[in-house]
Amino acid sequence: MPVPRRTLLLNASMEPLCVVSLRRAVSLVMSGKATILESDGRLLHSERTVLPAPVVLCLTRYVHVPVRRPQPPTRRTVLQRDSYRCAYCGGAADTVDHVHPRSRGGLHEWANVVAACARCNHRKADRLLAELGWELAYVPRTPRGTSALVAGVLAMEPAWSAYLVA
């Protein structure tokens, strides 16, 4: 099993801040700016130091974080939000679709973008759902809280779930 490549970074107040690379995590621990809360049991070795492979870190000092603006939807984040399922037929999704087409004034925002399979996306084209008689399986929403924090990460570590309570 490979060493984890990403580490969840928590503020001193135990709120999730971001996901950092393993290199950045080791740098934070070695400089005394963070402590390891969770490790998977593997060790990282250097010439003079042995360090547990960090999965979750906590900063030693509180960092003030300004209010975050919502991130714009990307192909990867929309597919992850919708669990790679087509909003129209429920099959495996591999692309995204604008519910209200951009050619008809629809915006590129979370509430208007859904995951879709290529077949449904092609069949829908630039038409409205009412014109086709289709319905969405769910209402698309902007991701909130910690789900938006880890949206860009391909695989979430199981140890993070205790710290990512929405």
Side-chain angles (χ1 to χ4, degrees):
M1 206 154 95
V3 175
R5 300 177 74 172
R6 299 283 181 196
T7 302
L8 179 65
L9 181 62
L10 305 175
N11 209 340
S13 62
M14 299 299 283
E15 70 176 306
L17 284 179
C18 61
V19 178
V20 297
S21 67
L22 180 62
R23 173 178 232 144
R24 177 71 177 140
V26 170
S27 173
L28 288 169
V29 171
M30 296 301 289
S31 64
K33 294 179 181 178
T35 57
I36 299 173
L37 292 181
E38 296 270 342
S39 175
D40 61 358
R42 287 176 271 192
L43 300 174
L44 303 173
H45 297 272
S46 73
E47 184 178 349
R48 295 184 181 95
T49 308
V50 176
L51 183 74
V55 176
V56 180
L57 291 181
C58 182
L59 292 176
T60 55
R61 300 183 75 192
Y62 181 80
V63 176
H64 174 73
V65 180
V67 177
R68 291 186 176 120
R69 293 187 320 228
Q71 295 295 319
T74 63
R75 181 177 179 274
R76 178 190 290 174
T77 56
V78 170
L79 288 171
Q80 287 178 340
R81 177 198 68 183
D82 297 347
S83 302
Y84 292 87
R85 291 278 151 224
C86 178
Y88 305 119
C89 70
D94 51 2
T95 185
V96 296
D97 182 53
H98 291 85
V99 177
H100 187 92
R102 294 182 80 180
S103 63
R104 294 190 177 194
L107 300 175
H108 184 69
E109 58 187 17
W110 284 103
N112 191 42
V113 181
V114 294
C117 63
R119 182 172 181 252
C120 289
N121 197 353
H122 184 70
R123 286 179 60 202
K124 181 179 171 289
D126 67 342
R127 293 178 287 211
L128 299 173
L129 295 179
E131 294 173 10
L132 297 167
W134 289 7
E135 291 184 13
L136 285 175
Y138 55 89
V139 177
R141 291 194 169 93
T142 303
R144 289 187 176 175
T146 57
S147 61
L149 174 73
V150 295
V153 179
L154 291 175
M156 194 174 91
E157 293 287 329
W160 296 356
S161 60
Y163 302 96
L164 296 177
V165 178

